[in-house]
Amino acid sequence: HHSQYRLLYIALLFLSSSSSSYLPPPIYINTMKLSLSICAKELPVVGDYYAKATLGDEDIGKTDIITASANPSWKSVLTCEDPAGKTLTISVCNVADDDAIVSSMTCPMDQLMEQSTVALDADGSDGSAVLAVHCEEYEFAPGTLQLKLEGHGLKNKERGLGFLRKSDPFYVLSIIDGEVIYQSEVISNDLSPTWKLANIDLAVLFAAGLDLTSPLSLVIFDKDRGDKKDLMGTVSTSVQLLIEAHHMRVADEKGAKDGLLRVKRAALVGHGGGSTVSQAATQALENAANVLLASQNIDKAKEVAAKCQERAIELEKESVSKQTAATEAAEDTAQAKAIATELAEQAAQSAEASKTQVCSGSLQLTLKGGDLPDTDGLFNKSDPFYQIYGADGYVACVWVCFAAVDLDVAVAMF
């Protein structure tokens, strides 16, 4: 659209160049309309979720509900207009928790329009959830009307033989006084026919400048031989009425009610241009979300590896410390053993030396005897003395004590 405005501006410049008149600067009218597709990955719990979006302060709608999933990829799309310069906010809501927001993301629309698909870590989750959004330029699609009709009590147009044969009805759906949109198959000999499910392309309707509410003509005919047909009845309707109605009265050529049409199914498929997510959008969302999840996993693996490395260094330090302590303890033990051995040797040497050591100097000794035996008879008492012997029987010295008045004597030695 912007390219068309630029071409128009260039044309105006060309047309005005000869008159040298002033031409104001171009005004870019932002009428861009986008379709947004959304998916989420690794939500905290399995649940029933839908996504809603705001563009700036404007609520632009919510998606369908995906049940029993932690990785919802919503089928419906949201649309927005005039997105440039605004911020898109997407929130994921849990239906079972009173529509509480479990995660969200914000993204500048300029970034989204430049990249087409953006995946970001979701806010409000445990840190592992990812939200992805894909945008495409909105393209209107007429879509298809799925229609299944059945008639009841239609007027029999078989002349003269009505009691033997019934009409062969078919219907034609067309623009009022215009092109035929659809013609059904013929049901033979039946005034309460059930026609097969029709997939009616609405391109003709919108090509004529009409819409879902524009009046249409549904005419029921009786098929005769060749190209002949008889009018059985008409219904004035529209695509919207067909979708909303359960049954419709059939009017004959005079306007009288004659028969009934029941709508067994009427649904729009693919109408509106982007009512459902395209395969390309789904693939783009999956790829962007998976890339971000893989990046998250790599970051987590790096964190785990870094922690493992730190722990390995700590264990290595502890091992070195323990080894050093063990070495020091072994050295202390060896040193203690050496000291013990040395002391034992010194003790042995001292014991051995004490056996052969020669004394020098003098010894002052005072002895006192008591009740010594008398060896000299009745009138005399013994004259005691004592000797000190060495280890080899050598008489070291002799002290003599002369006769005393009593056997309890004090002997002094010098």
Side-chain angles (χ1 to χ4, degrees):
H1 298 325
H2 290 166
S3 61
Q4 296 175 355
Y5 293 130
R6 285 194 292 269
L7 289 174
L8 178 59
Y9 180 69
I10 293 171
L12 290 172
L13 279 176
F14 176 79
L15 292 174
S16 62
S17 59
S18 59
S19 62
S20 301
S21 61
Y22 171 76
L23 187 67
I27 300 175
Y28 293 101
I29 304 175
N30 188 356
T31 58
M32 180 179 291
K33 188 174 183 179
L34 297 178
S35 297
L36 304 177
S37 309
I38 307 167
C39 82
K41 293 285 187 181
E42 304 293 336
L43 292 177
V45 295
V46 173
D48 302 341
Y49 297 105
Y50 68 88
K52 63 181 181 180
T54 57
L55 186 63
D57 297 329
E58 179 187 1
D59 184 3
I60 59 175
K62 62 183 181 180
T63 66
D64 54 310
I65 297 173
I66 300 294
T67 60
S69 176
N71 302 289
S73 183
W74 290 280
K75 301 302 180 185
S76 58
V77 301
L78 307 178
T79 58
C80 63
E81 295 184 6
D82 304 333
K86 298 179 181 179
T87 299
L88 175 69
T89 301
I90 296 175
S91 302
V92 178
C93 302
N94 187 351
V95 176
D97 192 16
D98 295 329
D99 299 327
I101 296 175
V102 297
S103 60
S104 61
M105 66 170 282
T106 57
C107 176
M109 282 302 301
D110 292 342
Q111 177 187 353
L112 179 59
M113 288 187 291
E114 180 180 354
Q115 299 179 5
S116 296
T117 306
V118 172
L120 296 172
D121 296 330
D123 298 328
S125 63
D126 60 358
S128 61
V130 167
L131 288 178
V133 58
H134 175 80
C135 73
E136 295 177 347
E137 189 171 355
Y138 178 87
E139 293 182 4
F140 177 78
T144 299
L145 173 65
Q146 290 187 341
L147 183 64
K148 186 177 179 65
L149 298 176
E150 64 179 28
H152 288 273
L154 300 180
K155 187 175 183 178
N156 193 356
K157 300 296 289 185
E158 294 293 332
R159 297 182 180 86
L161 298 177
F163 64 96
L164 294 177
R165 180 160 181 82
K166 301 174 183 177
S167 295
D168 305 320
F170 67 96
Y171 70 86
V172 176
L173 183 66
S174 60
I175 299 171
I176 299 295
D177 298 328
E179 190 172 352
V180 171
I181 298 175
Y182 177 77
Q183 179 173 320
S184 75
E185 77 279 15
V186 176
I187 304 296
S188 300
N189 196 32
D190 195 343
L191 297 180
S192 296
T194 299
W195 290 283
K196 68 181 182 180
L197 180 67
N199 290 294
I200 303 172
D201 188 356
L202 298 179
V204 174
L205 178 69
F206 289 94
L210 305 178
D211 57 30
L212 301 181
T213 62
S214 299
L216 300 177
S217 173
L218 193 155
V219 183
I220 305 171
F221 294 102
D222 173 25
K223 177 72 169 69
D224 290 333
R225 294 179 180 178
D227 294 333
K228 294 182 179 181
K229 57 186 178 183
D230 293 325
L231 176 66
M232 296 180 67
T234 62
V235 176
S236 295
T237 186
S238 68
V239 173
Q240 191 67 41
L241 287 175
L242 287 171
I243 293 172
E244 296 174 353
H246 297 288
H247 61 273
M248 298 172 288
R249 286 291 180 181
V250 179
D252 61 14
E253 59 269 23
K254 296 180 180 180
K257 305 299 182 184
D258 200 350
L260 184 72
L261 274 183
R262 288 183 178 173
V263 181
K264 302 295 291 182
R265 174 176 173 78
L268 284 176
V269 178
H271 171 74
S275 60
T276 57
V277 178
S278 66
Q279 184 175 358
T282 300
Q283 190 62 50
L285 288 170
E286 289 289 326
N287 291 342
N290 289 336
V291 166
L292 184 54
L293 285 174
S295 176
Q296 284 183 347
N297 291 335
I298 291 173
D299 291 341
K300 290 179 181 178
K302 288 181 178 179
E303 290 178 4
V304 172
K307 290 181 180 179
C308 290
Q309 181 66 22
E310 290 176 0
R311 183 56 182 158
I313 292 173
E314 290 176 359
L315 291 174
E316 184 178 359
K317 289 180 179 179
E318 291 177 4
S319 176
V320 171
S321 177
K322 290 179 180 179
Q323 183 65 34
T324 301
T327 301
E328 292 176 352
E331 291 175 353
D332 291 344
T333 301
Q335 186 177 1
K337 287 182 178 180
I339 293 172
T341 301
E342 183 179 354
L343 291 174
E345 291 176 354
Q346 290 177 0
Q349 291 174 1
S350 297
E352 188 65 28
S354 65
K355 295 178 181 179
T356 60
Q357 185 175 5
V358 178
C359 295
S360 61
S362 62
L363 174 65
Q364 292 183 353
L365 180 64
T366 300
L367 299 177
K368 181 181 180 180
D371 294 330
L372 296 177
D374 185 7
T375 61
D376 286 346
L378 179 62
F379 299 102
N380 291 317
K381 295 181 180 179
S382 299
D383 303 317
F385 66 93
Y386 64 88
Q387 294 177 334
I388 297 176
Y389 295 87
D392 55 356
Y394 172 74
V395 180
C397 58
V398 178
W399 285 269
V400 179
C401 183
F402 297 101
V405 177
D406 199 312
L407 290 178
D408 294 329
V409 296
V411 181
M413 295 165 289
F414 302 95

